[in-house]
Amino acid sequence: MLISQILDDGGNQAVVIRNGSEACILKGVGSTYDLVREAIGKGQSLAECIRGHELGKAVDLEKLAEEKRLLLPITHPDSAHLHLTGTGLTHLGSAATRDAMHAKAGAGDEEANISDSMKIFRMGLEGGRPEGGKVGVQPEWFYKGNGTCAVAPGGDLVSPGFCEDGGEEPEIAGIYIIADDGTPFRIGFALANEFSDHVMERQNYLFLAHSKLRPASFGPELLVGALPENVNGTSRIRRDGKVLWEKPFVSGEANMSHTLANLEHHHFKYDVFRQPGDIHVHMFGTATLSFADGISCKEGDEVEISAPGFGVALRNRLTFQPAETAATQVKVL
């Protein structure tokens, strides 16, 4: 089952449910946020709660995508209470590129000179898949921003003027809501574009936090249920209507050095991330990005991320603000 949000013919937000090929508006529900809170309040699974509502008009999601009427699959009424976060170095192929970017200078003993990236990756290989109920090693973690940084499918991912670069990262994101008693509930999974500044990150590994404070997009559809063991997707960049770069990407626990349960524990172990009513979009990392193949994204490039089982592809245009030279001024009260 897939859930999405659209603008209907009257310009109002509507929730859409897809089972198989047909997608229909869910009657009596104004938002995915309201739907999941209703399910928790009734003690039902999301599927059970959906079955309690009547399906309405069928819609063509691909056509709506062309008309830019697809919204994020879930939002929060107060954007400050939606959190965009993620983990890195979690996929079996993810260490090589990062190690090349962060490798220490100088020769000598190979083991003594391995990068911090490779050290964290090895820690994940050795301790990222604990037995059920046990705690494994913590992953690399980063913060991207709140709901003001979440860009709808079809929208522009804007690189600020102080940035060195801007490039895509195709990922799977877990989507969560916090119940009134502080319990995290996983709603499902979605495709995500974890837009980042890889040039800035390459300068110094300690700039990673800066490089991640960028917009991100996820959706358009939200997969309810378990994440497949193997996710085989495609990431591509179009420039002037032609494919500039294309490459497969993989995700799912069969391709990861951490279990999802371990990644979820190390995010939600913090009280600040268990605040009632909050939404969390937590990106699980990737091993594929065009920057690693020497691609430098330009104004107007379109990124498309797709994977079987996740519905409509996630498409976003990349834009770049003019370079900033003046410092931000703080006024004194």
Side-chain angles (χ1 to χ4, degrees):
M1 180 184 292
L2 294 161
I3 301 176
S4 55
Q5 294 188 130
I6 66 167
L7 290 177
D8 64 18
D9 294 339
N12 300 307
Q13 179 174 286
V15 175
V16 172
I17 304 297
R18 188 214 290 258
N19 262 322
S21 59
E22 187 172 57
C24 297
I25 290 176
L26 189 66
K27 290 185 175 181
V29 178
S31 70
T32 306
Y33 184 77
D34 291 341
L35 178 65
V36 297
R37 285 181 62 84
E38 178 187 340
I40 293 172
K42 291 181 176 179
Q44 297 178 327
S45 70
L46 193 51
E48 288 173 330
C49 187
I50 289 170
R51 286 195 291 268
H53 292 271
E54 184 181 351
L55 292 177
K57 177 183 176 181
V59 295
D60 184 339
L61 291 176
E62 288 289 358
K63 182 180 179 182
L64 293 177
E66 294 175 4
E67 297 172 352
K68 297 192 182 299
R69 289 166 56 190
L70 296 182
L71 306 174
L72 291 165
I74 190 169
T75 54
H76 193 286
D78 180 350
S79 59
H81 289 277
L82 186 150
H83 307 280
L84 298 170
T85 58
T87 58
L89 299 168
T90 53
H91 285 66
L92 298 178
S94 61
T97 301
R98 291 282 293 278
D99 192 50
M101 287 198 290
H102 307 145
K104 297 177 181 177
D109 180 69
E110 180 180 349
E111 192 66 25
N113 284 284
I114 64 171
S115 68
D116 288 338
S117 295
M118 186 59 74
K119 289 178 183 178
I120 290 180
F121 177 70
R122 289 184 180 181
M123 289 169 62
L125 288 176
E126 295 167 2
R129 304 181 70 89
E131 296 178 7
K134 295 185 178 180
V135 177
V137 66
Q138 63 186 4
E140 175 195 66
W141 181 94
F142 57 84
Y143 175 72
K144 289 196 68 66
N146 59 27
T148 62
C149 303
V151 176
D156 289 355
L157 292 170
V158 181
S159 182
F162 54 78
C163 295
E164 303 289 338
D165 187 36
E168 89 300 334
E169 293 199 18
E171 307 195 13
I172 300 298
I175 315 297
Y176 306 86
I177 187 170
I178 310 301
D180 289 343
D181 65 356
T183 301
F185 278 82
R186 188 200 303 134
I187 303 166
F189 301 92
L191 300 171
N193 187 341
E194 197 269 284
F195 189 54
S196 300
D197 186 339
H198 302 106
V199 172
M200 180 179 290
E201 178 190 347
R202 186 174 59 181
Q203 292 176 17
N204 190 305
Y205 184 67
L206 296 180
F207 286 161
L208 176 72
H210 289 281
S211 75
K212 296 296 187 182
L213 286 170
R214 303 290 182 271
S217 187
F218 62 97
E221 299 185 73
L222 192 161
L223 175 65
V224 177
L227 183 69
E229 281 284 308
N230 275 290
V231 175
N232 293 279
T234 302
S235 179
R236 60 176 58 89
I237 298 174
R238 289 189 176 89
R239 181 173 294 170
D240 299 324
K242 298 179 180 179
V243 175
L244 171 71
W245 175 89
E246 179 177 296
K247 202 166 189 176
F249 73 92
V250 296
S251 193
E253 286 192 342
N255 302 294
M256 297 174 68
S257 52
H258 289 259
T259 62
L260 294 181
N262 193 52
L263 299 179
E264 289 171 339
H265 162 75
H266 285 295
H267 179 68
F268 291 112
K269 67 185 180 184
Y270 297 102
D271 291 345
V272 68
F273 295 140
R274 299 198 306 272
Q275 298 301 304
D278 281 8
I279 295 289
H280 290 258
V281 179
H282 193 60
M283 289 159 265
F284 294 126
T286 188
T288 303
L289 56 157
S290 63
F291 181 79
D293 291 339
I295 300 296
S296 179
C297 293
K298 295 183 178 181
E299 177 80 17
D301 286 352
E302 183 188 66
V303 177
E304 178 183 286
I305 299 170
S306 61
F310 284 83
V312 177
L314 175 62
R315 302 180 183 95
N316 296 95
R317 195 172 72 107
L318 308 185
T319 65
F320 296 80
Q321 292 180 341
E324 296 179 6
T325 55
T328 300
Q329 298 295 313
V330 175
K331 294 184 177 180
V332 178
L333 287 175

